[in-house]
């Protein structure tokens, strides 16, 4: 079990949260709290960098959905970046790859026009 760490930084498009470790039943509330502390402006994009995510269970998926809901409530968008293969597979199986905007890396997710479908990750 890897402890969860969440590092926040700013990008031109909005905040980026780098999530490292295990996002599970014991740690999902930490992500929820980190997102709740953010102030998102309309038109910004919250990016969750999952490049160093080791494990994500259903509670973690729920926390990702909560982050998306909070961003939407504040008039912001949300994107996932660098989703690990095991998590990408789960998102695809449950159809959440159609709900989340997913990018290969943070650079693509924070690009000025990351709504362009050619910037998105293909989950196989």
């Amino acid at each position: 079990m890897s402890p969860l760490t969440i590092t926040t930084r700013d990008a031109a498009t909005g905040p980026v949260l780098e999530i490292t470790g295990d996002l599970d039943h014991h740690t999902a509330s930490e992500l929820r709290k980190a997102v709740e502390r953010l102030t998102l402006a309309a038109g910004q994009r919250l990016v969750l960098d999952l490049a160093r995510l080791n494990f994500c269970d259903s509670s973690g998926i729920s926390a990702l959905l909560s982050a998306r809901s909070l961003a939407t409530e504040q008039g912001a968008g949300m994107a996932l970046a660098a989703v690990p293969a095991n998590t990408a597979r789960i998102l695809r199986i449950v159809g959440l790859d159609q709900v989340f905007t997913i990018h290969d890396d943070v650079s693509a997710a924070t690009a000025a026009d990351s709504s362009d479908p050619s910037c998105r990750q293909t989950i196989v």
Side-chain angles (χ1 to χ4, degrees), residues 9-17 38-41 43-47 110:
R9 63 184 171 83
D10 290 320
T13 54
V16 176
L17 299 183
L38 297 174
T39 301
L40 297 167
Q44 281 190 316
R45 181 178 317 118
L46 169 62
V47 174
T110 58

Side-chain angles (χ1 to χ4, degrees), residues 17-38:
L17 299 183
E18 182 181 307
I19 301 168
T20 303
D22 294 346
L23 184 58
D24 59 20
H25 174 72
H26 300 288
T27 61
S29 63
E30 294 176 43
L31 176 58
R32 285 187 178 93
K33 290 174 188 171
V35 173
E36 288 171 0
R37 286 191 296 266
L38 297 174

Side-chain angles (χ1 to χ4, degrees), residues 69-88:
S69 293
L70 284 169
T72 301
E73 287 171 11
Q74 295 182 33
M78 193 191 102
L80 303 178
V83 180
N86 56 346
T87 303

Side-chain angles (χ1 to χ4, degrees), residues 7-124:
T7 306
T8 305
R9 63 184 171 83
D10 290 320
T13 54
V16 176
L17 299 183
E18 182 181 307
I19 301 168
T20 303
D22 294 346
L23 184 58
D24 59 20
H25 174 72
H26 300 288
T27 61
S29 63
E30 294 176 43
L31 176 58
R32 285 187 178 93
K33 290 174 188 171
V35 173
E36 288 171 0
R37 286 191 296 266
L38 297 174
T39 301
L40 297 167
Q44 281 190 316
R45 181 178 317 118
L46 169 62
V47 174
L48 302 183
D49 177 2
L50 304 181
R52 295 188 174 150
L53 182 69
N54 294 330
F55 175 78
C56 185
D57 70 4
S58 60
S59 297
I61 298 293
S62 178
L64 296 176
L65 285 166
S66 291
R68 183 180 179 275
S69 293
L70 284 169
T72 301
E73 287 171 11
Q74 295 182 33
M78 193 191 102
L80 303 178
V83 180
N86 56 346
T87 303
R89 181 176 178 269
I90 293 167
L91 295 176
R92 183 178 34 75
I93 288 170
V94 298
L96 291 175
D97 60 331
Q98 302 300 309
V99 173
F100 288 111
T101 301
I102 300 172
H103 297 278
D104 288 332
D105 54 41
V106 173
S107 295
T110 58
D113 188 18
S114 70
S115 60
D116 178 356
S118 66
C119 295
R120 294 185 183 180
Q121 177 181 6
T122 302
I123 297 179
V124 289

